[in-house]
Amino acid sequence: NAGVTQTPKFQVLKTGQSMTLQCAQDMNHNSMYWYRQDPGMGLRLIYYSASEGTTDKGEVPNGYNVSRLNKREFSLRLESAAPSQTSVYFCASSWVRGSGYNEQFFGPGTRLTVL
Amino acid sequence: KNQVEQSPQSLIILEGKNCTLQCNYTVSPFSNLRWYKQDTGRGPVSLTIMTFSENTKSNGRYTATLDADTKQSSLHITASQLSDSASYICVVSAPYSGGGADGLTFGKGTHLIIQP
């Protein structure tokens, strides 16, 4: 099993460009999440999907959109990238929503730089 | 506001020595507490999950303790190895509150360096 995979691993964008970060999991998990991690700060939730067909905003959703394409895939889109979105983005998945007694599995991350 | 505070921010110890990392939280109500290990350039990996009724939980050389009354947890690493060099993140879970939150509050982590 590959677990949680993310593409791309690295990306450099210019201000105003758009891109989509892809995430897929092969563990048949119901819930999926997108986080960003910045130096000196903890992981912050951008969006999550408790189950296929549902999405909810997290702590820092502005400037992002998500799509739960199917049970396996959850994508994050930046419509008009800004330098403030320079960060490392992690996708995660779990059997049920985050606060349940269940382990979250994280992907390897996407390192995004916006110039 | 729910908060998770970790100390120290960073720690350097010699290989073979023991160390203890601290996590204090104000999350209420409380569902469970997790410790993650994050190697440089990688995603976090779960070490332990503990509910309020579990005082101690071990995973190899890692032992987590929880005092739900004082809202404190610690992660003890025994006989440290070079591969223990990583950031250790404490995450506290509250029952689902709706409104877009997944109920998880992440600490900023402790950066641990093991020197040979």
Side-chain angles (χ1 to χ4, degrees):
Chain A
N1 287 349
V4 180
T5 58
Q6 293 182 234
T7 56
K9 285 186 167 52
F10 301 93
Q11 184 71 49
V12 178
L13 293 177
K14 294 181 180 179
T15 298
Q17 287 185 318
S18 62
M19 77 161 295
T20 299
L21 282 64
Q22 305 287 352
C23 173
Q25 52 90 11
D26 62 1
M27 295 172 281
N28 202 33
H29 285 167
N30 293 301
S31 300
M32 298 185 73
Y33 318 81
W34 278 105
Y35 294 93
R36 60 177 289 173
Q37 187 175 42
D38 301 295
M41 304 189 73
L43 285 153
R44 292 183 292 170
L45 182 67
I46 304 171
Y47 270 94
Y48 79 111
S49 172
S51 60
E52 186 179 357
T54 68
T55 60
D56 275 297
K57 294 179 180 179
E59 181 185 355
V60 288
N62 291 345
Y64 305 95
N65 285 301
V66 291
S67 295
R68 183 74 183 266
L69 304 170
N70 47 55
K71 192 170 186 179
R72 290 187 64 248
E73 298 172 290
F74 189 38
S75 64
L76 178 71
R77 182 161 178 82
L78 286 70
E79 291 291 351
S80 179
S84 61
Q85 294 178 304
T86 293
S87 187
V88 181
Y89 292 85
F90 288 100
C91 177
S93 71
S94 63
W95 282 110
V96 294
R97 58 174 170 77
S99 60
Y101 190 81
N102 71 128
E103 184 178 356
Q104 273 186 314
F105 292 82
F106 285 82
T110 293
R111 284 142 190 83
L112 175 66
T113 301
V114 183
L115 302 175
Chain B
K1 180 181 177 181
N2 289 337
Q3 288 188 312
V4 174
E5 299 288 340
Q6 292 188 244
S7 61
Q9 284 188 327
S10 60
L11 181 63
I12 302 173
I13 65 171
L14 293 175
E15 185 180 11
K17 298 296 186 182
N18 303 336
C19 67
T20 300
L21 314 180
Q22 299 290 343
C23 173
N24 296 338
Y25 62 93
T26 62
V27 176
S28 182
F30 170 82
S31 179
N32 58 72
L33 184 144
R34 307 131 184 245
W35 282 95
Y36 287 88
K37 179 187 179 188
Q38 185 176 20
D39 293 320
T40 300
R42 308 284 294 271
V45 174
S46 178
L47 293 174
T48 64
I49 302 178
M50 303 172 69
T51 66
F52 67 90
S53 62
E54 296 175 293
N55 299 113
T56 303
K57 202 160 191 178
S58 292
N59 179 355
R61 294 180 296 102
Y62 300 100
T63 299
T65 64
L66 174 63
D67 186 335
D69 291 331
T70 61
K71 294 185 168 58
Q72 295 180 325
S73 176
S74 64
L75 180 68
H76 185 74
I77 304 174
T78 304
S80 61
Q81 301 176 358
L82 296 178
S83 59
D84 293 330
S85 293
S87 287
Y88 292 84
I89 302 170
C90 176
V91 184
V92 181
S93 164
Y96 180 59
S97 61
D102 67 347
L104 299 178
T105 303
F106 287 79
K108 295 180 181 180
T110 291
H111 186 52
L112 177 64
I113 298 173
I114 310 299
Q115 288 187 336

Coordinates of all heavy atoms in Angstrom, one line a residue, chain A residues 25-110:
Chain A
Q25 N -5.4 8.5 -1.4 CA -5.1 7.5 -0.4 C -5.7 6.2 -0.8 O -6.8 6.1 -1.4 CB -5.7 8.0 1.0 CG -7.1 8.4 1.0 CD -8.1 7.3 1.3 OE1 -7.7 6.2 1.7 NE2 -9.4 7.6 1.2
D26 N -5.0 5.1 -0.4 CA -5.5 3.8 -0.8 C -5.8 2.9 0.4 O -5.8 1.7 0.4 CB -4.4 3.1 -1.6 CG -3.1 2.9 -0.9 OD1 -3.0 3.2 0.3 OD2 -2.1 2.4 -1.5
M27 N -6.2 3.6 1.5 CA -6.6 2.9 2.7 C -8.1 2.8 3.0 O -8.5 2.4 4.0 CB -5.9 3.6 3.9 CG -4.4 3.5 3.8 SD -3.5 4.5 5.1 CE -3.7 6.1 4.3
N28 N -8.9 3.2 2.0 CA -10.3 3.2 2.1 C -10.8 4.1 3.2 O -11.9 3.8 3.8 CB -10.9 1.7 2.2 CG -12.3 1.6 1.8 OD1 -12.8 2.3 0.9 ND2 -13.0 0.8 2.5
H29 N -10.1 5.1 3.5 CA -10.5 6.0 4.6 C -11.7 6.9 4.1 O -11.8 7.3 2.9 CB -9.3 6.9 5.0 CG -8.3 6.2 5.8 ND1 -7.1 6.7 6.1 CD2 -8.4 5.0 6.4 CE1 -6.4 5.9 6.8 NE2 -7.2 4.9 7.1
N30 N -12.5 7.3 5.1 CA -13.6 8.2 4.8 C -13.3 9.6 4.8 O -13.8 10.4 4.0 CB -14.8 7.9 5.8 CG -15.4 6.5 5.7 OD1 -15.9 6.2 4.6 ND2 -15.3 5.8 6.7
S31 N -12.4 10.0 5.7 CA -12.1 11.4 5.9 C -10.7 11.8 5.3 O -9.8 11.1 5.5 CB -12.1 11.8 7.4 OG -13.4 11.5 7.9
M32 N -10.7 13.0 4.7 CA -9.4 13.5 4.2 C -9.3 15.0 4.5 O -10.3 15.7 4.8 CB -9.4 13.3 2.7 CG -9.4 11.8 2.3 SD -9.2 11.5 0.5 CE -7.5 11.9 0.3
Y33 N -8.0 15.5 4.6 CA -7.8 16.8 5.1 C -6.6 17.5 4.3 O -5.8 16.8 3.8 CB -7.3 16.7 6.6 CG -8.0 15.8 7.4 CD1 -7.8 14.4 7.4 CD2 -9.0 16.2 8.3 CE1 -8.5 13.5 8.2 CE2 -9.7 15.3 9.1 CZ -9.5 14.0 9.0 OH -10.2 13.1 9.8
W34 N -6.6 18.8 4.3 CA -5.5 19.5 3.8 C -5.1 20.5 4.9 O -5.9 21.2 5.5 CB -5.9 20.4 2.6 CG -5.9 19.6 1.3 CD1 -6.9 19.1 0.6 CD2 -4.7 19.2 0.6 NE1 -6.4 18.5 -0.5 CE2 -5.1 18.5 -0.6 CE3 -3.3 19.4 0.8 CZ2 -4.2 18.0 -1.5 CZ3 -2.4 18.9 -0.1 CH2 -2.8 18.2 -1.3
Y35 N -3.7 20.4 5.2 CA -3.1 21.3 6.1 C -2.0 22.1 5.5 O -1.4 21.7 4.5 CB -2.5 20.5 7.3 CG -3.4 19.8 8.2 CD1 -3.8 18.4 7.9 CD2 -4.0 20.4 9.3 CE1 -4.6 17.7 8.7 CE2 -4.9 19.7 10.1 CZ -5.2 18.3 9.8 OH -6.0 17.6 10.6
R36 N -1.7 23.2 6.1 CA -0.4 23.9 5.7 C 0.4 24.1 6.9 O -0.1 24.1 8.1 CB -0.7 25.3 5.1 CG -1.5 26.3 5.9 CD -1.6 27.6 5.2 NE -0.3 28.4 5.1 CZ -0.2 29.5 4.4 NH1 -1.2 30.0 3.8 NH2 1.0 30.1 4.3
Q37 N 1.7 24.0 6.7 CA 2.7 24.1 7.8 C 3.7 25.2 7.5 O 4.4 25.1 6.5 CB 3.4 22.8 8.0 CG 4.3 22.7 9.2 CD 4.9 21.4 9.5 OE1 5.3 20.7 8.6 NE2 4.9 20.9 10.8
D38 N 3.8 26.2 8.3 CA 4.7 27.3 8.2 C 5.7 27.3 9.3 O 5.4 26.9 10.4 CB 3.9 28.6 8.1 CG 2.9 28.6 7.0 OD1 3.4 28.6 5.9 OD2 1.7 28.6 7.3
P39 N 6.9 27.8 9.1 CA 7.9 27.9 10.1 C 7.4 28.5 11.4 O 6.8 29.6 11.4 CB 9.1 28.7 9.5 CG 8.9 28.5 8.0 CD 7.4 28.4 7.8
G40 N 7.6 27.9 12.6 CA 7.3 28.4 13.8 C 5.8 28.3 14.2 O 5.3 28.8 15.2
M41 N 5.0 27.7 13.3 CA 3.6 27.5 13.5 C 3.2 26.1 13.4 O 3.9 25.3 12.7 CB 2.8 28.3 12.5 CG 3.2 29.8 12.5 SD 2.0 30.8 11.5 CE 0.6 30.8 12.5
G42 N 2.2 25.7 14.1 CA 1.7 24.3 14.0 C 1.0 24.1 12.7 O 0.7 25.0 11.9
L43 N 0.6 22.9 12.4 CA -0.2 22.5 11.3 C -1.5 23.2 11.4 O -2.2 23.2 12.5 CB -0.4 21.0 11.2 CG 0.9 20.3 10.7 CD1 0.9 18.8 11.2 CD2 0.9 20.3 9.2
R44 N -2.0 23.8 10.3 CA -3.3 24.5 10.3 C -4.2 23.9 9.3 O -3.8 23.7 8.1 CB -3.1 26.0 10.1 CG -2.4 26.7 11.3 CD -2.3 28.3 11.0 NE -1.4 28.6 9.9 CZ -1.3 29.8 9.4 NH1 -2.0 30.8 9.8 NH2 -0.4 30.0 8.4
L45 N -5.4 23.7 9.6 CA -6.3 23.0 8.8 C -6.9 24.0 7.7 O -7.4 25.1 8.1 CB -7.5 22.4 9.6 CG -8.6 21.7 8.8 CD1 -8.0 20.4 8.2 CD2 -9.7 21.3 9.7
I46 N -6.8 23.6 6.5 CA -7.4 24.5 5.4 C -8.8 24.1 5.1 O -9.7 24.9 5.2 CB -6.5 24.4 4.1 CG1 -5.0 24.7 4.4 CG2 -7.0 25.3 3.1 CD1 -4.1 24.4 3.3
Y47 N -9.0 22.8 4.7 CA -10.3 22.3 4.4 C -10.2 20.8 4.8 O -9.1 20.2 4.9 CB -10.6 22.3 2.9 CG -11.3 23.6 2.5 CD1 -10.6 24.6 2.0 CD2 -12.7 23.6 2.5 CE1 -11.2 25.8 1.5 CE2 -13.3 24.8 2.0 CZ -12.6 25.8 1.5 OH -13.2 27.0 1.1
Y48 N -11.4 20.2 5.1 CA -11.4 18.8 5.3 C -12.7 18.2 4.7 O -13.7 19.0 4.4 CB -11.2 18.4 6.7 CG -12.4 18.5 7.6 CD1 -13.1 17.4 8.1 CD2 -12.9 19.8 8.0 CE1 -14.2 17.5 9.0 CE2 -14.0 19.9 8.8 CZ -14.6 18.8 9.3 OH -15.7 18.9 10.1
S49 N -12.7 16.9 4.5 CA -13.9 16.2 3.9 C -14.1 15.0 4.9 O -13.4 14.1 4.9 CB -13.6 15.7 2.5 OG -14.6 14.9 2.1
A50 N -15.2 15.1 5.6 CA -15.5 14.1 6.6 C -15.9 12.8 5.9 O -15.6 11.7 6.4 CB -16.7 14.5 7.5
S51 N -16.5 12.9 4.7 CA -16.9 11.7 3.9 C -17.0 12.1 2.5 O -17.1 13.3 2.2 CB -18.2 11.1 4.4 OG -19.2 12.0 4.3
E52 N -17.1 11.1 1.6 CA -17.2 11.4 0.2 C -18.5 12.3 0.0 O -19.5 12.0 0.5 CB -17.3 10.1 -0.6 CG -17.3 10.2 -2.1 CD -17.4 8.9 -2.8 OE1 -17.4 7.9 -2.1 OE2 -17.5 8.9 -4.0
G53 N -18.3 13.4 -0.8 CA -19.4 14.2 -1.1 C -19.6 15.4 -0.2 O -20.5 16.3 -0.4
T54 N -18.8 15.5 0.9 CA -18.9 16.6 1.8 C -17.5 17.3 2.0 O -16.5 16.6 2.0 CB -19.4 16.2 3.2 OG1 -18.4 15.4 3.8 CG2 -20.7 15.4 3.1
T55 N -17.5 18.6 2.1 CA -16.3 19.3 2.4 C -16.7 20.4 3.4 O -17.8 21.0 3.4 CB -15.6 20.0 1.2 OG1 -16.6 20.9 0.5 CG2 -15.2 18.9 0.2
D56 N -15.7 20.8 4.2 CA -15.9 21.9 5.2 C -14.7 22.7 5.4 O -13.5 22.2 5.2 CB -16.2 21.3 6.6 CG -17.7 20.9 6.8 OD1 -18.5 21.9 6.7 OD2 -18.0 19.7 6.9
K57 N -14.9 24.0 5.7 CA -13.8 24.9 5.8 C -13.1 24.6 7.2 O -13.7 24.2 8.1 CB -14.3 26.3 5.8 CG -14.8 26.8 4.5 CD -15.3 28.2 4.6 CE -15.8 28.7 3.3 NZ -16.3 30.1 3.3
G58 N -11.8 24.8 7.2 CA -11.0 24.7 8.4 C -10.7 26.1 8.9 O -11.4 27.1 8.7
E59 N -9.5 26.2 9.5 CA -9.0 27.4 10.2 C -8.6 28.5 9.2 O -8.8 29.7 9.4 CB -7.9 27.1 11.1 CG -7.3 28.3 11.9 CD -6.1 27.9 12.6 OE1 -5.7 26.7 12.7 OE2 -5.4 28.8 13.2
V60 N -8.0 28.1 8.0 CA -7.5 29.1 7.1 C -7.9 28.8 5.6 O -7.1 28.5 4.8 CB -5.9 29.1 7.2 CG1 -5.5 29.8 8.5 CG2 -5.3 27.7 7.1
P61 N -9.2 28.9 5.3 CA -9.6 28.5 4.0 C -9.5 29.5 2.9 O -9.6 29.2 1.7 CB -11.1 28.2 4.2 CG -11.5 29.2 5.3 CD -10.3 29.3 6.2
N62 N -9.3 30.8 3.2 CA -9.3 31.9 2.3 C -8.2 31.7 1.2 O -7.1 31.5 1.5 CB -9.1 33.2 2.9 CG -10.4 33.6 3.8 OD1 -11.4 33.0 3.6 ND2 -10.2 34.6 4.6
G63 N -8.6 31.8 0.0 CA -7.7 31.7 -1.2 C -7.6 30.2 -1.7 O -6.8 30.0 -2.6
Y64 N -8.3 29.3 -1.1 CA -8.3 27.9 -1.5 C -9.7 27.4 -1.8 O -10.7 27.8 -1.3 CB -7.7 27.1 -0.4 CG -6.3 27.5 0.1 CD1 -6.2 28.3 1.2 CD2 -5.2 27.1 -0.5 CE1 -5.0 28.7 1.7 CE2 -3.9 27.5 0.0 CZ -3.9 28.3 1.1 OH -2.6 28.7 1.6
N65 N -9.7 26.4 -2.7 CA -10.9 25.6 -2.9 C -10.5 24.1 -2.9 O -9.4 23.8 -3.2 CB -11.5 25.9 -4.3 CG -12.3 27.3 -4.2 OD1 -13.2 27.5 -3.4 ND2 -11.8 28.2 -5.0
V66 N -11.5 23.3 -2.6 CA -11.2 21.8 -2.6 C -12.3 21.1 -3.4 O -13.4 21.6 -3.6 CB -11.1 21.2 -1.2 CG1 -9.9 21.8 -0.5 CG2 -12.4 21.5 -0.4
S67 N -11.9 19.9 -3.8 CA -12.8 18.9 -4.5 C -12.6 17.5 -3.9 O -11.4 17.1 -4.0 CB -12.6 19.0 -6.0 OG -12.9 20.2 -6.5
R68 N -13.6 16.9 -3.4 CA -13.5 15.5 -3.1 C -14.0 14.7 -4.3 O -15.2 14.5 -4.5 CB -14.3 15.2 -1.8 CG -14.2 13.7 -1.4 CD -12.9 13.5 -0.7 NE -12.7 12.1 -0.3 CZ -13.0 11.6 0.9 NH1 -13.5 12.4 1.9 NH2 -12.8 10.3 1.2
L69 N -13.1 14.3 -5.1 CA -13.4 13.8 -6.4 C -14.1 12.4 -6.3 O -15.0 12.1 -7.1 CB -12.1 13.6 -7.2 CG -11.3 15.0 -7.4 CD1 -9.9 14.7 -8.0 CD2 -12.1 15.9 -8.2
N70 N -13.6 11.6 -5.3 CA -14.2 10.3 -5.0 C -13.7 9.9 -3.7 O -13.0 10.8 -3.0 CB -13.8 9.3 -6.1 CG -12.3 9.3 -6.4 OD1 -11.5 9.2 -5.5 ND2 -12.0 9.5 -7.7
K71 N -13.8 8.7 -3.2 CA -13.4 8.4 -1.9 C -11.9 8.4 -1.7 O -11.4 8.7 -0.7 CB -13.9 7.0 -1.5 CG -13.8 6.6 0.0 CD -14.4 5.4 0.3 CE -14.4 5.2 1.8 NZ -15.1 3.9 2.3
R72 N -11.2 8.2 -2.8 CA -9.7 8.1 -2.8 C -9.0 9.5 -2.9 O -8.0 9.7 -2.4 CB -9.2 7.2 -3.9 CG -9.5 5.8 -3.8 CD -8.7 5.0 -4.9 NE -7.3 5.2 -4.8 CZ -6.5 5.8 -5.7 NH1 -7.1 6.5 -6.7 NH2 -5.2 5.9 -5.5
E73 N -9.7 10.4 -3.6 CA -8.9 11.6 -4.0 C -9.5 12.9 -3.5 O -10.8 13.1 -3.5 CB -8.9 11.7 -5.6 CG -8.2 10.5 -6.2 CD -8.3 10.5 -7.7 OE1 -9.5 10.2 -8.2 OE2 -7.3 10.8 -8.4
F74 N -8.6 13.8 -3.1 CA -9.0 15.1 -2.5 C -8.0 16.1 -3.0 O -6.9 16.1 -2.6 CB -9.0 15.0 -1.0 CG -9.6 16.1 -0.2 CD1 -10.8 16.8 -0.7 CD2 -9.1 16.5 1.0 CE1 -11.3 17.8 0.0 CE2 -9.6 17.6 1.7 CZ -10.8 18.2 1.3
S75 N -8.5 17.1 -3.8 CA -7.6 18.0 -4.4 C -7.8 19.4 -3.8 O -8.8 19.8 -3.3 CB -7.8 18.1 -5.9 OG -9.1 18.6 -6.2
L76 N -6.7 20.2 -3.8 CA -6.7 21.5 -3.3 C -6.3 22.5 -4.4 O -5.2 22.3 -5.0 CB -5.7 21.6 -2.1 CG -5.5 23.0 -1.5 CD1 -6.7 23.4 -0.6 CD2 -4.2 23.1 -0.6
R77 N -7.1 23.5 -4.6 CA -6.8 24.4 -5.7 C -6.5 25.8 -5.2 O -7.2 26.3 -4.3 CB -7.9 24.5 -6.7 CG -7.7 25.4 -7.9 CD -8.6 25.1 -9.1 NE -8.3 26.0 -10.2 CZ -7.3 25.8 -11.1 NH1 -6.5 24.8 -11.0 NH2 -7.2 26.7 -12.1
L78 N -5.5 26.4 -5.7 CA -5.2 27.8 -5.5 C -5.5 28.6 -6.8 O -4.9 28.3 -7.8 CB -3.7 28.0 -5.2 CG -3.1 27.6 -3.9 CD1 -3.1 26.1 -3.7 CD2 -1.8 28.2 -3.6
E79 N -6.5 29.4 -6.7 CA -7.0 30.1 -8.0 C -6.1 31.2 -8.4 O -5.9 31.4 -9.6 CB -8.5 30.6 -7.7 CG -9.5 29.5 -7.6 CD -9.8 28.8 -8.8 OE1 -9.3 29.2 -9.9 OE2 -10.5 27.8 -8.8
S80 N -5.6 32.0 -7.5 CA -4.7 33.1 -7.8 C -3.7 33.2 -6.7 O -3.9 33.8 -5.6 CB -5.5 34.4 -7.9 OG -4.7 35.5 -8.2
A81 N -2.6 32.5 -6.9 CA -1.6 32.3 -5.8 C -1.0 33.7 -5.4 O -0.8 34.6 -6.2 CB -0.4 31.4 -6.3
A82 N -0.8 33.7 -4.0 CA -0.2 34.9 -3.4 C 1.1 34.5 -2.6 O 1.1 33.3 -2.2 CB -1.2 35.6 -2.5
P83 N 2.0 35.4 -2.4 CA 3.2 35.0 -1.7 C 2.9 34.5 -0.3 O 3.7 33.6 0.2 CB 4.0 36.3 -1.6 CG 3.6 37.1 -2.9 CD 2.2 36.7 -3.1
S84 N 1.8 34.9 0.3 CA 1.4 34.4 1.6 C 1.0 33.0 1.6 O 0.9 32.3 2.7 CB 0.2 35.3 2.2 OG -0.9 35.1 1.3
Q85 N 0.9 32.4 0.4 CA 0.5 31.0 0.3 C 1.8 30.1 0.2 O 1.7 28.9 0.0 CB -0.4 30.8 -0.8 CG -1.8 31.4 -0.5 CD -2.8 31.2 -1.7 OE1 -2.5 31.6 -2.8 NE2 -3.9 30.7 -1.4
T86 N 2.9 30.7 0.2 CA 4.2 29.9 0.3 C 4.2 29.1 1.6 O 4.1 29.7 2.7 CB 5.4 30.9 0.2 OG1 5.5 31.5 -1.0 CG2 6.7 30.1 0.5
S87 N 4.3 27.8 1.4 CA 4.2 27.0 2.6 C 4.4 25.5 2.2 O 4.7 25.2 1.0 CB 2.7 27.1 3.2 OG 2.6 26.4 4.4
V88 N 4.4 24.6 3.2 CA 4.4 23.2 2.9 C 3.0 22.7 3.1 O 2.4 22.9 4.2 CB 5.4 22.4 3.8 CG1 5.4 21.0 3.4 CG2 6.8 23.0 3.6
Y89 N 2.4 22.0 2.2 CA 1.0 21.5 2.2 C 1.0 20.0 2.5 O 1.7 19.3 1.7 CB 0.3 21.9 1.0 CG 0.1 23.4 0.8 CD1 1.1 24.2 0.3 CD2 -1.1 24.0 1.3 CE1 0.9 25.6 0.2 CE2 -1.3 25.3 1.2 CZ -0.3 26.1 0.6 OH -0.5 27.5 0.5
F90 N 0.3 19.6 3.5 CA 0.1 18.2 3.8 C -1.3 17.8 3.6 O -2.2 18.4 4.1 CB 0.6 17.9 5.2 CG 2.0 18.0 5.4 CD1 2.6 19.1 6.0 CD2 2.9 16.9 5.0 CE1 4.0 19.2 6.2 CE2 4.2 17.0 5.2 CZ 4.8 18.2 5.8
C91 N -1.5 16.6 3.0 CA -2.8 16.0 2.9 C -2.8 14.8 3.9 O -1.7 14.2 4.2 CB -3.0 15.4 1.5 SG -4.5 14.5 1.3
A92 N -3.9 14.5 4.5 CA -4.0 13.5 5.5 C -5.3 12.7 5.3 O -6.3 13.3 4.7 CB -3.9 14.0 6.9
S93 N -5.4 11.5 5.8 CA -6.6 10.8 5.8 C -6.8 10.0 7.1 O -5.8 9.7 7.8 CB -6.7 9.9 4.6 OG -5.8 8.8 4.8
S94 N -8.1 9.6 7.4 CA -8.4 8.8 8.6 C -9.7 8.1 8.3 O -10.5 8.5 7.5 CB -8.4 9.6 9.9 OG -9.5 10.6 9.8
W95 N -10.0 7.1 9.2 CA -11.2 6.3 9.0 C -12.4 7.2 9.1 O -13.4 7.2 8.4 CB -11.3 5.2 10.0 CG -10.5 4.0 9.7 CD1 -9.3 3.6 10.3 CD2 -10.7 3.1 8.6 NE1 -8.8 2.5 9.7 CE2 -9.6 2.1 8.6 CE3 -11.7 3.0 7.6 CZ2 -9.6 1.1 7.7 CZ3 -11.6 2.0 6.7 CH2 -10.5 1.0 6.8
V96 N -12.4 8.0 10.2 CA -13.5 8.9 10.4 C -13.0 10.3 10.7 O -11.8 10.5 10.7 CB -14.4 8.5 11.6 CG1 -15.1 7.2 11.3 CG2 -13.6 8.3 12.9
R97 N -13.8 11.3 11.0 CA -13.4 12.7 11.2 C -12.4 12.7 12.3 O -12.3 11.9 13.2 CB -14.6 13.5 11.5 CG -15.3 13.0 12.8 CD -16.4 14.0 13.2 NE -17.3 13.4 14.2 CZ -17.0 13.3 15.5 NH1 -15.8 13.8 15.9 NH2 -17.8 12.8 16.3
G98 N -11.6 13.8 12.3 CA -10.3 13.9 13.0 C -10.4 13.7 14.5 O -9.5 13.2 15.1
S99 N -11.5 14.1 15.2 CA -11.5 14.0 16.6 C -11.9 12.6 17.1 O -11.8 12.4 18.3 CB -12.5 15.0 17.2 OG -13.8 14.7 16.7
G100 N -12.2 11.7 16.2 CA -12.5 10.3 16.7 C -11.2 9.6 17.1 O -10.1 10.1 16.9
Y101 N -11.3 8.5 17.8 CA -10.2 7.7 18.3 C -9.6 7.0 17.1 O -9.7 5.8 17.0 CB -10.6 6.8 19.4 CG -9.4 6.2 20.1 CD1 -8.7 6.9 21.1 CD2 -9.0 4.9 19.8 CE1 -7.6 6.3 21.7 CE2 -7.9 4.3 20.4 CZ -7.2 5.0 21.4 OH -6.2 4.4 22.0
N102 N -9.0 7.7 16.2 CA -8.4 7.0 15.0 C -7.2 7.8 14.5 O -7.1 9.0 14.7 CB -9.5 6.9 13.9 CG -9.9 8.2 13.3 OD1 -9.9 8.3 12.1 ND2 -10.3 9.2 14.1
E103 N -6.3 7.1 13.9 CA -5.0 7.7 13.5 C -5.2 8.4 12.2 O -5.9 8.0 11.3 CB -4.0 6.5 13.4 CG -2.6 6.9 13.0 CD -1.7 5.7 13.0 OE1 -2.2 4.6 13.2 OE2 -0.5 5.9 12.6
Q104 N -4.5 9.5 12.1 CA -4.4 10.2 10.8 C -3.1 9.8 10.2 O -2.0 9.7 10.8 CB -4.4 11.8 11.1 CG -5.7 12.4 11.1 CD -5.6 13.9 11.2 OE1 -4.8 14.5 12.0 NE2 -6.4 14.6 10.4
F105 N -3.2 9.6 8.9 CA -2.0 9.3 8.1 C -1.7 10.5 7.1 O -2.6 10.9 6.5 CB -2.3 8.0 7.2 CG -2.4 6.8 8.1 CD1 -3.6 6.5 8.7 CD2 -1.3 5.9 8.2 CE1 -3.7 5.3 9.5 CE2 -1.4 4.8 9.0 CZ -2.6 4.5 9.6
F106 N -0.5 10.9 7.1 CA -0.1 12.1 6.4 C 0.7 11.7 5.1 O 1.4 10.7 5.1 CB 0.7 13.0 7.2 CG 0.0 13.8 8.3 CD1 -0.4 13.2 9.5 CD2 -0.4 15.1 8.0 CE1 -1.1 13.9 10.4 CE2 -1.2 15.8 8.9 CZ -1.5 15.2 10.2
G107 N 0.5 12.5 4.1 CA 1.3 12.4 2.9 C 2.7 13.0 3.1 O 3.0 13.6 4.2
P108 N 3.5 13.0 2.1 CA 4.9 13.5 2.2 C 5.0 15.0 2.1 O 6.1 15.6 2.4 CB 5.6 12.8 1.1 CG 4.6 12.6 0.0 CD 3.3 12.2 0.8
G109 N 4.0 15.6 1.7 CA 4.0 17.1 1.6 C 4.3 17.6 0.2 O 4.9 17.0 -0.6
T110 N 3.8 18.8 -0.1 CA 4.1 19.6 -1.3 C 4.7 20.9 -0.9 O 4.1 21.7 -0.1 CB 2.9 19.9 -2.2 OG1 2.4 18.6 -2.7 CG2 3.2 20.8 -3.3

